[in-house]
């Protein structure tokens, strides 16, 4: 018969205790995860019940945080600078440096805001829109171009911006490295996504912007909600935004 010593019993008790402790820790981890997930789920539901998603029309984009529909969603449902307006079943956003633009679509996953100019002159938008005081930036890479106001038409190798031109002045976009013709004067040097092209300048091609919320970590990236996470818990809102009101006018 095998002799059982006290040390064997002691080691067995230790192993048993370790198994019990490990099981308890696993149970606690599962409980804590369930509690945290439930809390997040309830927070999302509570937020969305007070901030229901809005559409300006059946086929219009979903309006949710950080955007909000003025007059249809409470102020806490969106961030300053992200206010949208429903006008004649059309979703609009207003920029003081230009005016209203049509919101074609909002891709929340990649943060892309697709816009259209109601006046069908995308280069008038590029020329006048100042995004420096807004939460938006152009979605695509930019290149430096110069807008020229010319008293005579240039050679056919240059495409005239027809919606900005008139009978006595002709507007062109050229790369900043090119020499300026004698009959032209520079209007503005500005980084824009593309120069004028008759194939890319009508209302079939929109403006693409992206957005950021400096100093904030989006709760949406973690749990798919429309609030951001702060140290005090899920909240909405961002610092006040100042908008520039300068505008270029062509004579």
């Amino acid at each position: 018969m095998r002799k059982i010593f006290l040390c064997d019993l002691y080691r067995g008790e230790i192993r048993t205790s370790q198994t019990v402790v490990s099981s308890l820790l696993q149970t606690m981890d599962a409980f804590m995860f369930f509690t945290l997930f439930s809390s997040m789920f309830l927070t999302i539901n509570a937020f969305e019940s007070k901030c229901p998603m809005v559409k300006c029309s059946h086929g219009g984009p979903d309006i949710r945080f950080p955007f909000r529909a003025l007059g249809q969603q409470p102020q806490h449902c969106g961030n300053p600078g992200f206010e949208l307006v429903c006008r004649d079943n059309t979703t609009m956003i207003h920029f003081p440096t230009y005016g209203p633009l049509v919101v074609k679509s909002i891709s929340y996953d990649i943060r892309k805001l697709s816009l259209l100019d109601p006046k069908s002159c995308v280069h008038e938008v590029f020329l006048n829109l100042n995004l420096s005081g807004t939460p938006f930036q152009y979605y695509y890479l930019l290149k430096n171009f110069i807008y020229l106001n010319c008293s005579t038409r240039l050679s056919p190798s240059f495409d005239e911006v027809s919606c900005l031109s008139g009978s006595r002045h002709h507007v062109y976009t050229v790369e900043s490295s090119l020499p300026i013709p004698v009959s032209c004067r520079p209007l503005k040097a500005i980084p824009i996504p593309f120069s004028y092209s008759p194939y890319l300048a009508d209302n079939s091609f929109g403006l693409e912007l992206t957005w950021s919320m400096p100093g904030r970590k989006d709760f949406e990236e973690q749990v798919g909600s429309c609030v951001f996470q702060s140290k005090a818990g899920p909240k909405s809102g961002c610092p006040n935004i100042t908008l520039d009101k300068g505008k270029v006018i062509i004579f």
Side-chain angles (χ1 to χ4, degrees):
M1 180 180 294
R2 181 175 178 270
K3 293 182 179 180
I4 299 176
F5 295 97
L6 288 175
C7 60
D8 292 329
L9 293 173
Y10 182 68
R11 282 196 292 269
E13 290 176 357
I14 291 177
R15 284 195 294 271
T16 302
S17 299
Q18 289 175 339
T19 302
V20 172
V21 170
S22 177
S23 178
L24 285 173
L25 288 174
Q26 291 176 358
T27 302
M28 290 176 65
D29 287 343
F31 177 76
M32 290 177 65
F33 174 80
F34 177 77
T35 302
L36 179 61
F37 182 81
S38 299
S39 176
M40 289 179 177
F41 184 75
L42 290 173
T43 299
I44 294 168
N45 284 348
F47 186 86
E48 291 181 347
S49 65
K50 295 179 181 179
C51 299
M53 186 182 66
V54 170
K55 284 189 175 187
C56 294
S57 63
H58 178 71
D62 299 339
I63 302 176
R64 58 182 177 86
F65 190 89
F67 296 91
R68 77 177 181 96
L70 284 174
Q72 299 187 51
Q73 292 172 310
Q75 187 173 357
H76 68 268
C77 292
N79 275 347
F82 289 85
E83 293 86 1
L84 305 180
V85 177
C86 293
R87 184 180 301 164
D88 298 328
N89 295 324
T90 303
T91 310
M92 310 285 289
I93 184 170
H94 182 82
F95 290 96
T97 56
Y98 183 75
L101 294 172
V102 176
V103 179
K104 182 180 179 182
S105 64
I106 305 174
S107 301
Y108 291 91
D109 53 345
I110 57 174
R111 291 189 178 186
K112 185 168 75 169
L113 180 68
S114 297
L115 305 174
L116 294 172
D117 179 29
K119 294 183 285 187
S120 299
C121 190
V122 68
H123 275 273
E124 185 178 2
V125 182
F126 289 153
L127 187 59
N128 292 302
L129 186 62
N130 186 343
L131 297 174
S132 61
T134 77
F136 300 101
Q137 306 89 39
Y138 285 113
Y139 187 80
Y140 299 110
L141 294 176
L142 306 180
K143 187 175 182 179
N144 290 324
F145 288 92
I146 296 177
Y147 283 87
L148 299 178
N149 189 0
C150 305
S151 57
T152 60
R153 283 191 172 92
L154 301 182
S155 68
S157 61
F158 294 90
D159 290 317
E160 183 177 347
V161 186
S162 56
C163 64
L164 294 178
S165 301
S167 59
R168 297 185 178 181
H169 70 277
H170 311 276
V171 178
Y172 300 86
T173 55
V174 299
E175 294 186 18
S176 57
S177 58
L178 294 178
I180 299 176
V182 177
S183 63
C184 304
R185 63 181 178 88
L187 286 173
K188 191 176 185 180
I190 187 173
I192 57 178
F194 56 85
S195 63
Y196 177 80
S197 167
Y199 306 105
L200 297 176
D202 60 15
N203 223 17
S204 65
F205 188 85
L207 302 159
E208 268 70 39
L209 304 180
T210 185
W211 66 85
S212 62
M213 290 178 283
R216 307 293 185 180
K217 181 175 178 61
D218 282 346
F219 197 52
E220 181 177 12
E221 294 178 357
Q222 299 180 29
V223 296
S225 179
C226 49
V227 292
F228 63 80
Q229 182 70 30
S230 70
K231 291 182 179 180
K235 289 185 178 181
S236 64
C238 72
N240 290 331
I241 295 170
T242 303
L243 297 169
D244 192 329
K245 295 185 179 181
K247 185 169 183 177
V248 174
I249 300 175
I250 297 176
F251 295 98

